[in-house]
PDB file of all heavy atoms in Angstrom:
ATOM      1  N   VAL S 221      15.661 -82.309 -61.025  1.00 90.00           N
ATOM      2  CA  VAL S 221      15.302 -83.704 -61.345  1.00 90.00           C
ATOM      3  C   VAL S 221      16.016 -84.651 -60.383  1.00 90.00           C
ATOM      4  O   VAL S 221      15.405 -85.536 -59.783  1.00 90.00           O
ATOM      5  CB  VAL S 221      15.653 -84.030 -62.818  1.00 90.00           C
ATOM      6  CG1 VAL S 221      15.595 -85.526 -63.083  1.00 90.00           C
ATOM      7  CG2 VAL S 221      14.706 -83.288 -63.761  1.00 90.00           C
ATOM      8  N   VAL S 222      17.319 -84.411 -60.204  1.00 88.00           N
ATOM      9  CA  VAL S 222      18.110 -85.289 -59.326  1.00 88.00           C
ATOM     10  C   VAL S 222      17.612 -85.187 -57.894  1.00 88.00           C
ATOM     11  O   VAL S 222      17.413 -86.196 -57.209  1.00 88.00           O
ATOM     12  CB  VAL S 222      19.621 -84.930 -59.439  1.00 88.00           C
ATOM     13  CG1 VAL S 222      20.440 -85.662 -58.401  1.00 88.00           C
ATOM     14  CG2 VAL S 222      20.130 -85.232 -60.844  1.00 88.00           C
ATOM     15  N   THR S 223      17.372 -83.951 -57.422  1.00 86.00           N
ATOM     16  CA  THR S 223      16.929 -83.758 -56.029  1.00 86.00           C
ATOM     17  C   THR S 223      15.551 -84.386 -55.817  1.00 86.00           C
ATOM     18  O   THR S 223      15.311 -85.020 -54.780  1.00 86.00           O
ATOM     19  CB  THR S 223      16.871 -82.256 -55.679  1.00 86.00           C
ATOM     20  OG1 THR S 223      18.079 -81.650 -56.104  1.00 86.00           O
ATOM     21  CG2 THR S 223      16.712 -82.034 -54.201  1.00 86.00           C
ATOM     22  N   ALA S 224      14.647 -84.216 -56.777  1.00 87.00           N
ATOM     23  CA  ALA S 224      13.285 -84.748 -56.628  1.00 87.00           C
ATOM     24  C   ALA S 224      13.285 -86.273 -56.571  1.00 87.00           C
ATOM     25  O   ALA S 224      12.411 -86.876 -55.942  1.00 87.00           O
ATOM     26  CB  ALA S 224      12.415 -84.272 -57.784  1.00 87.00           C
ATOM     27  N   MET S 225      14.272 -86.891 -57.223  1.00 85.00           N
ATOM     28  CA  MET S 225      14.289 -88.356 -57.261  1.00 85.00           C
ATOM     29  C   MET S 225      15.022 -88.977 -56.076  1.00 85.00           C
ATOM     30  O   MET S 225      14.977 -90.185 -55.884  1.00 85.00           O
ATOM     31  CB  MET S 225      14.933 -88.822 -58.569  1.00 85.00           C
ATOM     32  CG  MET S 225      13.987 -88.605 -59.747  1.00 85.00           C
ATOM     33  SD  MET S 225      14.770 -88.898 -61.314  1.00 85.00           S
ATOM     34  CE  MET S 225      14.986 -90.644 -61.274  1.00 85.00           C
ATOM     35  N   ARG S 226      15.688 -88.153 -55.295  1.00 80.00           N
ATOM     36  CA  ARG S 226      16.436 -88.684 -54.148  1.00 80.00           C
ATOM     37  C   ARG S 226      15.476 -89.273 -53.123  1.00 80.00           C
ATOM     38  O   ARG S 226      14.450 -88.660 -52.817  1.00 80.00           O
ATOM     39  CB  ARG S 226      17.248 -87.576 -53.482  1.00 80.00           C
ATOM     40  CG  ARG S 226      18.583 -87.368 -54.152  1.00 80.00           C
ATOM     41  CD  ARG S 226      19.470 -86.543 -53.252  1.00 80.00           C
ATOM     42  NE  ARG S 226      20.735 -86.342 -53.942  1.00 80.00           N
ATOM     43  CZ  ARG S 226      21.309 -85.175 -54.106  1.00 80.00           C
ATOM     44  NH1 ARG S 226      20.778 -84.110 -53.619  1.00 80.00           N
ATOM     45  NH2 ARG S 226      22.451 -85.072 -54.748  1.00 80.00           N
ATOM     46  N   PRO S 227      15.841 -90.436 -52.570  1.00 72.00           N
ATOM     47  CA  PRO S 227      14.934 -91.034 -51.592  1.00 72.00           C
ATOM     48  C   PRO S 227      14.949 -90.310 -50.249  1.00 72.00           C
ATOM     49  O   PRO S 227      14.037 -90.434 -49.457  1.00 72.00           O
ATOM     50  CB  PRO S 227      15.465 -92.467 -51.435  1.00 72.00           C
ATOM     51  CG  PRO S 227      16.903 -92.392 -51.836  1.00 72.00           C
ATOM     52  CD  PRO S 227      17.017 -91.289 -52.828  1.00 72.00           C
ATOM     53  N   ARG S 228      15.997 -89.536 -49.997  1.00 67.00           N
ATOM     54  CA  ARG S 228      16.113 -88.909 -48.691  1.00 67.00           C
ATOM     55  C   ARG S 228      15.105 -87.765 -48.527  1.00 67.00           C
ATOM     56  O   ARG S 228      14.502 -87.308 -49.474  1.00 67.00           O
ATOM     57  CB  ARG S 228      17.527 -88.359 -48.504  1.00 67.00           C
ATOM     58  CG  ARG S 228      18.523 -89.453 -48.239  1.00 67.00           C
ATOM     59  CD  ARG S 228      19.836 -88.864 -47.828  1.00 67.00           C
ATOM     60  NE  ARG S 228      20.403 -88.036 -48.872  1.00 67.00           N
ATOM     61  CZ  ARG S 228      21.308 -87.091 -48.631  1.00 67.00           C
ATOM     62  NH1 ARG S 228      21.674 -86.850 -47.409  1.00 67.00           N
ATOM     63  NH2 ARG S 228      21.816 -86.390 -49.613  1.00 67.00           N
ATOM     64  N   ASN S 229      15.036 -87.315 -47.279  1.00 74.00           N
ATOM     65  CA  ASN S 229      14.098 -86.265 -46.919  1.00 74.00           C
ATOM     66  C   ASN S 229      14.687 -84.877 -47.229  1.00 74.00           C
ATOM     67  O   ASN S 229      14.489 -83.938 -46.494  1.00 74.00           O
ATOM     68  CB  ASN S 229      13.800 -86.394 -45.411  1.00 74.00           C
ATOM     69  CG  ASN S 229      12.772 -85.402 -44.954  1.00 74.00           C
ATOM     70  OD1 ASN S 229      11.932 -85.002 -45.720  1.00 74.00           O
ATOM     71  ND2 ASN S 229      12.863 -84.988 -43.711  1.00 74.00           N
ATOM     72  N   ARG S 230      15.423 -84.780 -48.301  1.00 79.00           N
ATOM     73  CA  ARG S 230      16.097 -83.519 -48.631  1.00 79.00           C
ATOM     74  C   ARG S 230      15.228 -82.735 -49.612  1.00 79.00           C
ATOM     75  O   ARG S 230      14.707 -83.311 -50.559  1.00 79.00           O
ATOM     76  CB  ARG S 230      17.434 -83.854 -49.265  1.00 79.00           C
ATOM     77  CG  ARG S 230      18.384 -82.683 -49.353  1.00 79.00           C
ATOM     78  CD  ARG S 230      19.732 -83.192 -49.704  1.00 79.00           C
ATOM     79  NE  ARG S 230      20.189 -82.585 -50.931  1.00 79.00           N
ATOM     80  CZ  ARG S 230      21.429 -82.146 -51.090  1.00 79.00           C
ATOM     81  NH1 ARG S 230      22.292 -82.276 -50.118  1.00 79.00           N
ATOM     82  NH2 ARG S 230      21.800 -81.618 -52.220  1.00 79.00           N
TER      83      ARG S 230
END
Side-chain angles (χ1 to χ4, degrees):
Chain S
V221 167
V222 171
T223 312
M225 286 171 70
R226 275 195 181 129
R228 285 190 298 158
N229 183 29
R230 194 168 121 137

